Amino acid sequence: MTNAPVIIVIEDDPPIRRFLRTGLSTQGFTVFEADTGKQGIIEAEVRKPDLVILDLGLPDMEGVEVIKAIRTWSAIPIIILSARSSEQHKIDALDAGADDYLTKPFGFGELLARIRVALRHAIRPMEHIQADIFATANLKVDLHNRVVTLDDEEVHLTPIQYRLLVVLVKQAGRVLTHQHILKEVWGPSYQENAHYLRIYMSQLRQKLEADPTQPKFLLTESGVGYRLKI
């Protein structure tokens, strides 16, 4: 496939690299590999991939440093695939610029689903910026006119509810940490006030979700933050 999406796998475990290369290749992806952080950064610069899959525990440098290095010149989606499952590791990686985080052991089907979401996220924001409209399923957000509609009916949001939704819309598909959202909506001095976020997210779900207890748009990433599904 000449137009196959290119994925770089930065992983020092040969069996996992082999598993990913084989599985992703059968799904139509072109796969390149690196077993160190420095090599991975070089591969990303040279190959200009559509997506990077990155392990955090590399032999020469921390995966978070790889994220920061790539983020100095590229916004390509980065999915973390790591045995480190602590909440803080996830937060550090996402705050450094990763788009998603999957812990080992992992299901290949779930990885593919997250790859599809990340690739959609990489393409769709450009479309929405041009039109100033975000649309997914029956939800539409007109950023220029500050109008939110659900099933073509206008939904009235408070200023803070609207700001919260816009932060999620502008990073649709990405996992956003509690701290990031609090900083963007309320300001840097509110980054420890997670209860504010829980209250307003609940209010937003009441207005936008058919069943707020089983949200379809405003998804919780347990212990880490939230994601607006696209």
Side-chain angles (χ1 to χ4, degrees):
M1 293 179 63
T2 55
N3 294 320
V6 174
I7 294 179
I8 291 177
V9 175
I10 307 174
E11 165 68 65
D12 66 328
D13 187 324
I16 292 181
R17 280 206 315 276
R18 187 163 54 249
F19 172 74
L20 291 172
R21 180 180 67 245
T22 302
L24 293 171
S25 297
T26 62
Q27 296 297 316
F29 296 102
T30 298
V31 182
F32 296 97
E33 303 170 38
D35 59 4
T36 67
K38 288 180 181 177
Q39 184 188 348
I41 293 168
I42 292 169
E43 286 287 322
E45 290 174 344
V46 172
R47 306 288 184 184
K48 300 295 190 291
D50 297 282
L51 183 138
V52 170
I53 296 175
L54 172 66
D55 184 20
L56 291 181
L58 298 168
D60 61 334
M61 61 194 299
E62 283 293 315
V64 167
E65 297 307 313
V66 177
I67 299 169
K68 291 177 180 177
I70 292 174
R71 283 290 173 259
T72 61
W73 58 270
S74 177
I76 53 173
I78 299 173
I79 296 179
I80 301 301
L81 192 59
S82 176
R84 299 177 182 177
S85 58
S86 79
E87 189 176 307
Q88 193 58 51
H89 281 127
K90 294 179 181 179
I91 290 170
D92 290 344
L94 293 165
D95 279 345
D99 293 77
D100 206 345
Y101 197 115
L102 199 57
T103 54
K104 301 173 183 175
F106 62 96
F108 188 67
E110 182 178 2
L111 175 62
L112 284 176
R114 296 194 181 223
I115 288 172
R116 289 192 293 269
V117 168
L119 291 176
R120 286 201 303 270
H121 164 252
I123 296 168
R124 291 183 62 169
M126 292 184 287
E127 299 171 355
H128 297 314
I129 288 170
Q130 291 169 5
D132 265 341
I133 291 175
F134 172 87
T136 181
N138 58 339
L139 173 66
K140 183 184 292 185
V141 182
D142 184 334
L143 297 169
H144 178 73
N145 295 304
R146 298 174 64 89
V147 174
V148 179
T149 56
L150 193 66
D151 292 321
D152 296 321
E153 295 286 331
E154 185 172 351
V155 179
H156 295 284
L157 302 179
T158 68
I160 290 181
Q161 290 169 355
Y162 180 76
R163 284 207 303 273
L164 173 56
L165 181 59
V166 168
V167 168
L168 293 164
V169 161
K170 289 184 175 179
Q171 301 284 343
R174 289 190 66 180
V175 179
L176 300 182
T177 64
H178 298 124
Q179 290 91 335
H180 174 84
I181 299 172
L182 285 162
K183 180 181 177 183
E184 292 296 313
V185 177
W186 284 275
S189 61
Y190 287 84
Q191 285 181 270
E192 302 304 318
N193 296 72
H195 61 285
Y196 280 27
L197 183 52
R198 285 194 297 271
I199 291 168
Y200 279 92
M201 185 60 72
S202 175
Q203 293 173 356
L204 207 51
R205 283 172 170 162
Q206 291 289 336
K207 293 185 176 182
L208 299 181
E209 299 282 3
D211 180 358
T213 64
Q214 299 289 329
K216 292 183 178 180
F217 303 124
L218 304 167
L219 305 184
T220 297
E221 293 290 335
S222 184
V224 178
Y226 298 97
R227 178 210 308 262
L228 177 61
K229 186 177 180 180
I230 57 175

